[in-house]
Amino acid sequence: MTIRKLSAGRGAGWITDGIAVFKSNPGTYLTACVLVGLLSSLPVFGLFFGLLMPVMYGGLLSLLQHQARGEQTAVGQIFDGFQQPGAFARLLPIVLINLAIALVIVIVVFVTIGVAVFQLVRQSQAHQQPDPQMLMALLPKFALLLLILLPIGVLLGWVMLLAIPRAMLGQVPGMTALREAISAVAGNFLPLLVNLLCLSLLIFVVLLIMLIPFMLLGDVQQHSFFLGMLIQIPIMAVFTGGILALYCAVMFQAWREIFGDDAAAPPPPPATFEA
């Protein structure tokens, strides 16, 4: 296994080249992403579904790999992480590591600021003004948590960005994929950082565009909570599906370039007819 060290500019290239993988025939892939977004947006069920999101990423990556090879694709491939022989067993350690780290973070946050936040919420529900002294005491703790947890979250996200396709597409055991992903992150810090900055900018632009429908949704929910929930689900499905489409395209392209595991020829160009 060879881990390639890429130039910083490739972090931006993963976005454009990843999108190019499905751009010629986007219908199936984008429909699959919106379907995953819909499932994750459903009340209660979406919470449990989110716990298995790395497996769903695996299905979307499988779909992208088929499309990159010029093979037939189907929306049902989003479940390849469950139905391909050995895929779920390889991805399960990654799922468990994600859950364990998330649990540790929740415990740390609760122990550090949980009681103070709970008291502020109770004051808000009782229509009381927040205690200024409590707020001032909470801010330094919150800033310290953010300073510590944000870099950890970014590094963990980068490891998952490479470990999931390594396990799913490279068919490497989950723990091995995690170790190799850590090595790949260490050797490609700059392109990963550039990619993070580019993705953050794109998501910020998308959030600005979505601000209007979210504001309209808030007005609807004030008059009818049930109707607002019905409208919220498709809006969140499209929004989440768009983020998933971009993220998985980046994940696929980064895996191809860093690990070089996808030796398949690019899809044939569309046929042209001369008059």
Side-chain angles (χ1 to χ4, degrees):
M1 186 273 303
T2 301
I3 296 177
R4 297 171 180 168
K5 186 173 182 179
L6 307 178
S7 64
R10 287 312 304 152
W14 295 340
I15 298 175
T16 55
D17 294 348
I19 291 174
V21 172
F22 67 86
K23 187 178 178 181
S24 60
N25 183 27
T28 302
Y29 177 65
L30 293 179
T31 301
C33 289
V34 171
L35 178 57
V36 174
L38 175 62
L39 294 174
S40 64
S41 300
L42 295 176
V44 182
F45 175 78
L47 176 64
F48 295 99
F49 183 81
L51 300 177
L52 295 173
M53 191 56 74
V55 185
M56 303 308 299
Y57 287 152
L60 291 171
L61 289 167
S62 176
L63 196 160
L64 279 175
Q65 187 181 48
H66 281 279
Q67 184 148 337
R69 291 173 172 173
E71 300 169 353
Q72 187 174 0
T73 59
V75 173
Q77 287 173 318
I78 60 173
F79 299 109
D80 278 0
F82 296 98
Q83 60 192 16
Q84 278 190 6
F88 184 74
R90 296 192 303 271
L91 291 168
L92 184 58
I94 298 175
V95 172
L96 295 178
I97 291 289
N98 263 326
L99 291 178
I101 294 175
L103 181 60
V104 170
I105 291 175
V106 168
I107 292 174
V108 170
V109 171
F110 179 79
V111 170
T112 308
I113 62 174
V115 175
V117 170
F118 178 71
Q119 290 177 348
L120 289 173
V121 170
R122 287 187 61 184
Q123 290 178 0
S124 175
Q125 291 176 343
H127 303 287
Q128 299 176 359
Q129 290 293 330
D131 186 348
Q133 292 183 347
M134 186 179 296
L135 282 174
M136 293 303 296
L138 182 62
L139 286 178
K141 294 180 180 180
F142 180 78
L144 181 61
L145 270 179
L146 192 64
L147 187 64
I148 295 173
L149 294 181
L150 184 60
I152 293 175
V154 168
L155 290 174
L156 177 63
W158 287 346
V159 170
M160 296 303 159
L161 181 81
L162 300 175
I164 294 172
R166 183 69 177 145
M168 180 67 193
L169 305 180
Q171 300 185 1
V172 172
M175 295 306 296
T176 302
L178 285 166
R179 289 194 296 269
E180 292 177 353
I182 292 172
S183 299
V185 168
N188 288 278
F189 180 83
L190 286 179
L192 286 165
L193 182 59
V194 169
N195 179 258
L196 175 64
L197 295 174
C198 293
L199 282 179
S200 298
L201 179 60
L202 283 174
I203 293 174
F204 177 73
V205 172
V206 172
L207 285 173
L208 287 179
I209 295 173
M210 294 295 294
L211 188 60
I212 294 177
F214 282 146
M215 291 174 62
L216 294 175
L217 178 62
D219 290 337
V220 172
Q221 285 183 323
Q222 287 182 351
H223 293 84
S224 174
F225 179 78
F226 181 73
L227 178 61
M229 287 296 296
L230 288 179
I231 299 175
Q232 176 181 326
I233 291 175
I235 291 177
M236 289 304 300
V238 172
F239 175 72
T240 306
I243 300 298
L244 282 174
L246 182 61
Y247 180 70
C248 287
V250 167
M251 189 185 297
F252 180 72
Q253 192 63 29
W255 166 76
R256 294 175 80 179
E257 295 186 16
I258 290 177
F259 290 105
D261 280 0
D262 189 9
T272 56
F273 300 94
E274 297 182 359

